[in-house]
Amino acid sequence: MRENGKAKALTVTAALLVFVVFAAGILSVLLSGAGVYQRLTRRGSLSYANRTAAQYLATRVRQSEAAPLTGEFGGGDALVLSQTIGTDEYLTRIYCYDGWLRELFTPAGGQFAPEDGEKILPLAALEIEAGQNLLTFRLRQEGGPETVLSLMPRLREGARP
Amino acid sequence: MKSRVSLALTELCIMLLVLAFAAALCLRVFLWADETARQNTARDAALIHMQSVAELLKVTGSPEAVATQMSGAQRSGHWYIPAETYEIRMLPAEASGEALGSVYLEAVYQDTVLISFPVSWQEVAP
């Protein structure tokens, strides 16, 4: 009778143990799946943000009528593109302020605050170096690696240097 | 009672086997997805890097100068620029037409070529 009871207890313990292994297995597969998904989306969104910001800057430099200039605006580096509409001169400043890549299109000589700029893309930092025939942009997303983009500005025929 | 517990134990053992099989399949897919995402991120970064290399080639007109500027080195007849997850190789190519020079750019990630394209440059801008 006692042996019967022992055997029953052993069987129940074994069933419980197998159940614990089963539960732990399900949990670990779910957790590893969630971890992979999280890494995947994080990498994807960082990559998208870097690529889009870099290509946006490249496109703006390529579209520029005059030679792109660099300056300071909002406490950081800014890309300054000038454009003449009619007889008036306008400036487009592209800069990073308050966690955003921003663009501000204004008449030349006007006084504007950095927060007036249109938010384009999230960006943590932007550094611009102007060398001989070469513009180098260093972009960084929050918690992401630095992306370096070098561009040789090309001027269209008849453009102002 | 005993037969009921034994039945439950057998059932759990079968479920455990099924779970082990499903988990193995899932883990394989997770690893594949992780690696693919890593490769895609490297491809994105490499493309921007290669664009910069191409621009620098046009400015300097020399793969050696670009490699020096971007902390690169020379290996078995070509210049390369290492990055965190990939490397960019500048393979010599024959310049044709009015081109002053030409190279074949390749982004390599763990022995896999992610992107490759030729770059030629003409007269260096004044």
Side-chain angles (χ1 to χ4, degrees), chain B residues 2 5-7 9 23 30-31 37 47 57 59 64 84 99 112 124:
Chain B
K2 192 184 165 191
V5 174
S6 300
L7 187 69
L9 187 64
F30 292 161
L31 284 176
L47 191 61
L57 278 168
V59 173
E64 186 182 351
E84 204 178 321
T112 307
V124 178

Side-chain angles (χ1 to χ4, degrees), chain B residues 38-109:
Chain B
R38 224 179 273 270
Q39 199 168 323
N40 287 340
T41 308
R43 185 181 284 119
D44 271 353
L47 191 61
I48 294 174
H49 205 159
M50 285 168 94
Q51 191 179 341
S52 295
V53 170
E55 296 280 330
L56 280 169
L57 278 168
K58 287 175 185 173
V59 173
T60 61
S62 138
E64 186 182 351
V66 175
T68 310
Q69 197 167 331
M70 298 184 109
S71 317
Q74 196 174 26
R75 181 180 52 209
S76 53
H78 70 265
W79 292 91
Y80 72 96
I81 300 155
E84 204 178 321
T85 52
Y86 58 89
E87 74 173 35
I88 291 174
R89 295 176 185 164
M90 291 183 273
L91 306 171
E94 208 168 294
S96 58
E98 291 175 12
L100 283 181
S102 189
V103 290
Y104 211 83
L105 286 185
E106 259 185 14
V108 181
Y109 169 86

Side-chain angles (χ1 to χ4, degrees), chain A residues 11 14-15 18 21-22 26 29 32-33 36 39-40 43 47 51 55 62 133-134 148-152 154, chain B residues 1 5 9 12-13 15-16 19 23 26-27 30 33-34 37-38 41 44 48 51-52 55-56 58-59 125-126:
Chain A
T11 318
V18 174
V21 173
F22 180 71
I26 286 184
V29 170
S32 67
V36 166
R39 279 202 301 276
L40 217 128
R43 262 193 236 126
S47 185
R51 186 182 63 228
Q55 292 310 326
R62 296 273 177 261
N133 287 334
L134 195 73
V148 181
L149 174 74
S150 297
L151 288 174
M152 179 183 171
R154 295 170 184 84
Chain B
M1 176 71 185
V5 174
L9 187 64
L12 275 169
C13 282
M15 284 306 291
L16 202 64
L19 173 80
C26 284
L27 285 176
F30 292 161
D34 202 34
R38 224 179 273 270
T41 308
D44 271 353
I48 294 174
Q51 191 179 341
S52 295
E55 296 280 330
L56 280 169
K58 287 175 185 173
V59 173

Side-chain angles (χ1 to χ4, degrees), chain A residues 44-45 63-64 77 97-98 103 131 138 141 153:
Chain A
S45 59
Q63 283 178 340
S64 174
D77 294 343
Y97 182 76
D98 199 22
E103 182 173 313
R138 291 175 196 281
Q141 298 292 338

